[in-house]
Amino acid sequence: CTDEYRKELAYPLLTPVNGDLSGFPPTIVQCGGSEVLVDDIRKLAEKLQKDNHEHVQVVYDEYPEMVHVFHRFFHRPEADAAFSRLAKFVAELKQPS
């Protein structure tokens, strides 16, 4: 990486994990365990949790051996499980407190 590239990556609008994520709404983060960006996705989920001090629900689901955009593999049970989890997450948000 060049120094200029590193500076760009530090910019929060380009790399949200480098910014203030407080005030985010309830968030679900899903990724595959073989996703090329899995480490960055984990950091993002951790940062969301930290910046919101557990006042906001942050759910992190990692599906072992799944790859980027695994949700599109409709024939895979992991994709079905992920969509079911998303639907449950949204349904719970819609319920009155």
Side-chain angles (χ1 to χ4, degrees):
C1 284
T2 66
D3 288 338
E4 191 61 34
Y5 183 67
R6 283 191 180 94
K7 281 189 229 171
E8 289 177 7
L9 286 178
Y11 188 60
L13 292 178
L14 182 60
T15 310
V17 76
N18 292 328
D20 178 9
L21 302 181
S22 62
F24 257 61
T27 304
I28 184 168
V29 178
Q30 294 182 320
C31 74
S34 295
E35 157 76 55
V36 68
L37 299 171
V38 69
D39 293 333
D40 294 326
I41 295 167
R42 286 179 189 141
K43 287 178 192 172
L44 177 65
E46 290 168 7
K47 175 89 163 132
L48 279 164
Q49 192 70 49
K50 177 181 167 260
D51 285 3
N52 288 286
H53 308 289
E54 305 200 16
H55 296 293
V56 172
Q57 181 184 18
V58 177
V59 174
Y60 175 73
D61 294 333
E62 187 173 310
Y63 294 82
E65 299 180 28
M66 291 293 98
V67 295
H68 187 68
V69 299
F70 74 94
H71 297 78
R72 295 189 62 193
F73 303 138
F74 301 118
H75 62 284
R76 295 292 308 218
E78 294 89 347
D80 287 341
F83 278 115
S84 293
R85 182 72 174 109
L86 284 166
K88 180 181 176 192
F89 182 80
V90 171
E92 288 172 355
L93 292 177
K94 291 173 61 177
Q95 294 179 1
S97 302

